[in-house]
């Protein structure tokens, strides 16, 4: 199946099974804003818990905070967001549609990549097992011509972006004859900078309302609380502050479902270190974060680092953790060495000293920071993408199963009476009432047992138990494993011991030690 089709299926599955709904659905939605449904919120909460516990429980030098979304507007001046948190945008005069100039050009580069991939695939089909891809790429005149054009475009684009040369970006769009996908014309406006922060007003106009921003990242809430936490928690450098919360960006191009949203959630941790030790900590955090991702068991081939060549002016190292989504490797998390830029800026703009006195070296300094920043929604999408599986069964049927890591699954156990009579529902409810204190357990009696299994497979429930007539005599049930579909007879009294450990977040956390 084409990856595009897989992605469409995942989006449809998310809606059909109560994971993600378009926001304001009955009003035809609101672009790039989504709501999480009954299963989605459980999965999302489990992802957040896995992250939070891996930071705050497993590290005795990391603590958490929860700062407000509204912050003093000068914070965004100090952080650079008011002046520089921009995307270059361009309008098509005929369709009146607005685009990101950089995205239009990146899409054009991707078209060259697609054409090259198609040439290679055609040749592979023609030459079968004798095909030598590297040799073909190095010698095929058509591939070489496409590659040369692609590389030249990429080089010109990178130079324009590095210099933020808006005229040159427009010229590239004109020279490449890029047309508006809606009107099909090349009637483009100039390229302008567009600030991504949402703003609103605080206080009544009579009092003199103040322009405030919806935070575009949670990190600044950590920086401005750095001193509060360091003093009240008696924290010693190196130490970290973790936070999970909403962030808002007025993205011009919002697409790919929950990959790029206007309201999303971040899990960020700022780790404060002694200047000069930041590269060592940067490497450590790269390793720690990759381990966290890979502990989910989707396979190491689903992840890669993408080290940044072009660094923000305040950073001295940066990398992305990329995940293999149905639309290619995409950034899920950023790990950045941000020097002492943010704390120094807040010192300067607030006029308050944020220096740390290091009792080990007897010196005062502004700590350097390693940041790990991951989007909850992107993480959610990566988990859904990797878990979504269509399996051909021996009887010719297809089953859709979400192979979610058990620790993240919304529901851990479904208890199913074989029939809705003869005391089986009562027995099943007894089991639910006992186990629901330990993990998310649900009761389901509607439809045939086969249909009920399929329903649980589709939401990723790792275990189902069936209560049958024998249960009333032997106090045993049939325990079905979602992935293997194997069934075993087990005593009701053993259920908690068998299941609890396997479905807990702790089982994931233990892999990180
Ligand atoms: N404090 C650093 C920071 O915010 P970022 O690379 O802009 O860095 C970090 O964002 C992470 O937040 C990204 O790796 C991504 O997972 C998530 N993210 C950023 N913009 C997003 C958006 N519009 N929709 C969903 N997630 C987003």
């Amino acid at each position: 199946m084409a990856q595009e089709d897989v992605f469409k299926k995942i989006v449809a599955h998310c809606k059909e099974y109560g994971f993600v709904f378009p926001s304001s659905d009955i009003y035809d939605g609101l672009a790039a804003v989504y709501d999480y449904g009954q299963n989605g919120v459980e999965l999302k909460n489990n992802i957040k818990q896995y992250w939070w516990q891996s930071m705050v429980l497993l590290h005795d030098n990391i603590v958490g905070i929860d700062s407000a979304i509204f912050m003093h507007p000068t914070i965004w001046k100090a952080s650079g967001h008011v002046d520089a948190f921009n995307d270059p945008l361009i309008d098509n005069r005929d369709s009146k549609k607005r685009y990101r100039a950089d995205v239009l050009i990146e899409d054009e580069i991707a078209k060259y990549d697609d054409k090259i991939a198609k040439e290679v695939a055609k040749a592979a089909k023609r030459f079968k097992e004798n095909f030598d891809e590297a040799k073909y790429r190095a010698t095929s005149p058509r591939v070489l011509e496409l590659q040369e054009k692609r590389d030249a475009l990429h080089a010109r684009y990178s130079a324009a972006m590095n210099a933020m040369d808006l005229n040159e970006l427009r010229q590239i769009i004109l020279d490449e004859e890029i047309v508006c996908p809606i009107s099909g014309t090349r009637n483009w406006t100039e390229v302008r900078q567009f600030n991504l922060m949402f703003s609103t007003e605080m206080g009544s106009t009579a009092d003199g309302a103040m322009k405030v921003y919806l935070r575009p990242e949670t990190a600044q809430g950590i920086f401005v609380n750095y001193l509060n936490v360091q003093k009240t928690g008696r924290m010693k450098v190196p130490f970290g502050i973790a936070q999970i919360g909403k962030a808002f960006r007025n993205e011009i191009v919002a697409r790919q479902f929950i990959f790029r949203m206007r309201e999303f959630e971040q899990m960020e941790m700022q780790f404060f270190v002694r200047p000069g030790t930041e590269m060592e900590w940067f490497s450590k955090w790269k390793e720690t974060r990759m381990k966290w991702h890979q502990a989910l068991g989707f396979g190491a081939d689903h992840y890669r680092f993408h080290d940044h060549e072009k660094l923000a002016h305040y950073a001295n190292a940066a990398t992305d953790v990329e995940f293999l989504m149905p639309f290619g490797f995409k950034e899920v998390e950023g790990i950045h060495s941000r020097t002492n830029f943010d704390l120094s800026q807040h010192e300067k703009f607030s006029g308050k000293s944020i220096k740390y006195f290091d009792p080990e070296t007897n010196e005062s300094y502004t700590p350097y920071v390693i940041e790990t920043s991951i989007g909850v929604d992107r993480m959610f999408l990566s988990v859904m993408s990797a878990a979504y599986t269509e399996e051909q069964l021996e009887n010719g049927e297809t089953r859709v199963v979400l192979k979610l890591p058990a620790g993240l699954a919304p529901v851990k156990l479904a208890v199913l009476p074989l029939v809705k009579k003869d005391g089986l529902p009562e027995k099943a409810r007894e089991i639910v009432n006992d186990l629901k204190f330990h993990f998310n357990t649900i009761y389901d009696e509607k439809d045939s047992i086969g249909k009920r299994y399929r329903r649980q497979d589709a939401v990723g429930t790792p275990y189902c138990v069936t209560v049958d007539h024998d249960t009333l005599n032997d106090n045993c049930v049939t325990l079905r494993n979602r992935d293997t579909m194997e069934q075993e007879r087990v005593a009701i009294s053993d259920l908690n011991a068998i299941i609890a450990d396997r479905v807990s977040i702790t089982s994931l956390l233990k892999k990180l030690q």
Side-chain angles (χ1 to χ4, degrees):
M1 202 189 317
Q3 287 304 292
E4 216 170 90
D5 295 335
V6 173
F7 186 51
K8 278 189 193 149
K9 285 192 174 193
I10 292 168
V11 176
H13 192 86
C14 279
K15 183 164 185 195
E16 189 179 344
Y17 286 93
F19 283 91
V20 183
F21 306 126
S23 159
S24 323
D25 203 11
I26 57 168
Y27 291 92
D28 298 330
L30 182 66
V33 186
Y34 290 89
D35 296 338
Y36 286 82
Q38 66 279 15
N39 286 314
V41 70
E42 297 289 344
L43 172 56
K44 198 177 180 211
N45 283 342
N46 290 338
I47 291 172
K48 289 194 273 187
Q49 222 186 325
Y50 175 40
W51 183 88
W52 185 265
Q53 295 189 2
S54 75
M55 289 291 176
V56 176
L57 287 193
L58 299 193
H59 296 94
D60 53 14
N61 59 352
I62 297 182
V63 291
I65 61 163
D66 182 19
S67 70
I69 286 171
F70 290 135
M71 291 194 274
H72 196 287
T74 308
I75 287 172
W76 304 111
K77 192 81 192 145
S79 69
H81 285 81
V82 170
D83 297 320
F85 195 52
N86 300 321
D87 275 344
L89 71 84
I90 190 165
D91 293 284
N92 182 272
R93 292 196 184 93
D94 299 320
S95 66
K96 309 268 183 281
K97 288 278 170 205
R98 182 163 287 180
Y99 299 93
R100 263 174 66 176
D102 55 333
V103 171
L104 285 178
I105 301 170
E106 276 172 14
D107 285 352
E108 203 59 20
I109 295 170
K111 277 187 199 158
Y112 281 112
D113 288 334
D114 280 353
K115 281 185 194 160
I116 294 169
K118 275 192 187 130
E119 290 292 324
V120 172
K122 256 195 310 191
K125 213 168 164 189
R126 195 160 7 112
F127 296 114
K128 298 203 169 70
E129 59 276 5
N130 296 326
F131 184 57
D132 179 342
E133 185 177 326
K135 193 169 161 199
Y136 182 76
R137 281 180 182 270
T139 54
S140 157
R142 176 78 184 130
V143 170
L144 287 175
E145 184 197 337
L146 287 167
Q147 190 68 47
E148 196 180 325
K149 283 188 181 160
R150 184 235 177 254
D151 292 346
L153 174 58
H154 186 265
R156 195 176 163 196
Y157 164 66
S158 300
M161 284 299 284
N162 281 342
M164 244 326 142
D165 183 341
L166 303 183
N167 291 331
E168 173 67 351
L169 285 176
R170 179 169 191 268
Q171 200 52 49
I172 295 174
I173 290 171
L174 296 181
D175 292 349
E176 288 292 319
E177 302 186 344
I178 296 174
V179 297
C180 164
I182 307 289
S183 66
T185 71
R186 284 181 244 145
N187 194 4
W188 296 112
T189 61
E190 298 303 308
V191 177
R192 287 174 292 135
Q193 291 285 31
F194 176 78
N195 193 285
L196 296 182
M197 283 197 293
F198 285 100
S199 64
T200 187
E201 301 205 324
M202 186 175 267
S204 73
T205 16
D207 295 332
M210 178 165 68
K211 183 175 177 181
V212 290
Y213 299 97
L214 298 190
R215 65 183 178 196
E217 62 170 15
T218 58
Q220 297 304 323
I222 295 178
F223 288 124
V224 297
N225 276 298
Y226 155 78
L227 207 55
N228 284 337
V229 174
Q230 191 271 320
K231 290 222 150 80
T232 57
R234 301 157 70 93
M235 308 299 289
K236 284 198 168 60
V237 168
F239 74 93
I241 304 178
Q243 169 161 233
I244 299 179
K246 289 266 182 157
F248 305 82
R249 295 182 190 179
N250 196 1
E251 299 281 359
I252 304 162
V253 179
R255 57 180 180 185
Q256 284 157 333
F257 190 39
I258 54 173
F259 184 78
R260 196 175 298 285
M261 303 158 87
R262 295 202 166 108
E263 174 180 342
F264 58 100
E265 215 166 351
Q266 289 186 315
M267 305 187 282
E268 298 201 294
M269 194 279 301
Q270 313 297 133
F271 199 72
F272 301 92
V273 304
R274 190 183 296 161
T277 63
E278 70 272 14
M279 282 311 165
E280 191 190 315
W281 283 109
F282 179 68
S283 303
K284 274 191 193 155
W285 277 109
K286 270 179 80 169
E287 196 187 314
T288 305
R289 293 302 304 144
M290 188 54 98
K291 209 168 169 187
W292 182 89
H293 285 281
Q294 294 192 357
L296 293 175
F298 294 127
D301 56 340
H302 278 66
Y303 305 88
R304 70 180 188 195
F305 284 118
H306 170 241
D307 295 333
H308 292 204
E309 287 160 32
K310 178 181 180 267
L311 295 171
H313 61 280
Y314 52 79
N316 60 7
T319 194
D320 295 335
V321 177
E322 293 188 338
F323 185 83
L324 186 57
M325 302 275 189
F327 40 90
F329 271 103
K330 295 287 167 195
E331 175 194 340
V332 170
E333 171 161 8
I335 302 167
H336 313 122
S337 174
R338 293 179 75 129
T339 65
N340 60 0
F341 172 79
D342 301 86
L343 289 183
S344 301
Q345 284 293 97
H346 291 306
E347 268 191 314
K348 195 165 116 192
F349 278 74
S350 68
K352 313 238 163 62
S353 169
I354 311 187
K355 296 263 182 307
Y356 170 77
F357 177 75
D358 193 328
E360 279 177 32
T361 60
N362 265 339
E363 44 174 6
S364 285
Y365 53 77
T366 309
Y368 272 40
V369 170
I370 305 300
E371 163 184 78
T372 72
S373 172
I374 172 169
V376 179
D377 313 85
R378 277 196 199 172
M379 188 60 205
F380 184 107
L381 183 58
S382 70
V383 168
M384 281 303 261
S385 304
Y388 182 88
T389 317
E390 289 183 11
E391 269 180 9
Q392 202 67 38
L393 300 180
E394 278 173 9
N395 63 6
E397 280 178 22
T398 306
R399 83 164 176 147
V400 173
V401 51
L402 280 190
K403 295 196 170 176
L404 294 171
L408 299 187
V411 177
K412 310 300 186 189
L413 175 72
V415 183
L416 321 170
L418 191 60
V419 290
K420 270 194 271 182
K421 55 183 184 182
D422 305 335
L424 302 192
E426 290 76 10
K427 190 74 187 168
R429 289 231 183 252
E430 239 176 64
I431 298 173
V432 173
N433 285 338
D434 178 26
L435 293 180
K436 71 184 179 190
F437 293 101
H438 304 280
F439 42 77
N440 195 349
T441 309
I442 60 146
Y443 172 85
D444 187 9
E445 62 175 22
K446 282 188 226 93
D447 300 317
S448 70
I449 197 76
K451 272 196 184 157
R452 280 181 272 169
Y453 282 154
R454 290 290 167 276
R455 214 158 39 226
Q456 294 308 321
D457 288 345
V459 298
T461 306
Y463 296 101
C464 289
V465 298
T466 305
V467 175
D468 56 26
H469 290 95
D470 290 340
T471 307
L472 302 179
N473 302 321
D474 64 5
N475 269 317
C476 288
V477 285
T478 306
L479 178 67
R480 173 188 182 267
N481 180 302
R482 173 196 70 195
D483 296 340
T484 61
M485 291 191 287
E486 271 165 18
Q487 304 192 2
E488 57 179 320
R489 197 81 187 154
V490 301
I492 293 172
S493 54
D494 289 342
L495 278 174
N496 192 15
I498 297 172
I499 298 170
D501 198 35
R502 295 189 209 165
V503 299
S504 70
I505 301 270
T506 314
S507 65
L508 289 172
L509 294 173
K510 279 184 182 160
K511 294 189 196 170
L512 305 179
Q513 292 297 336

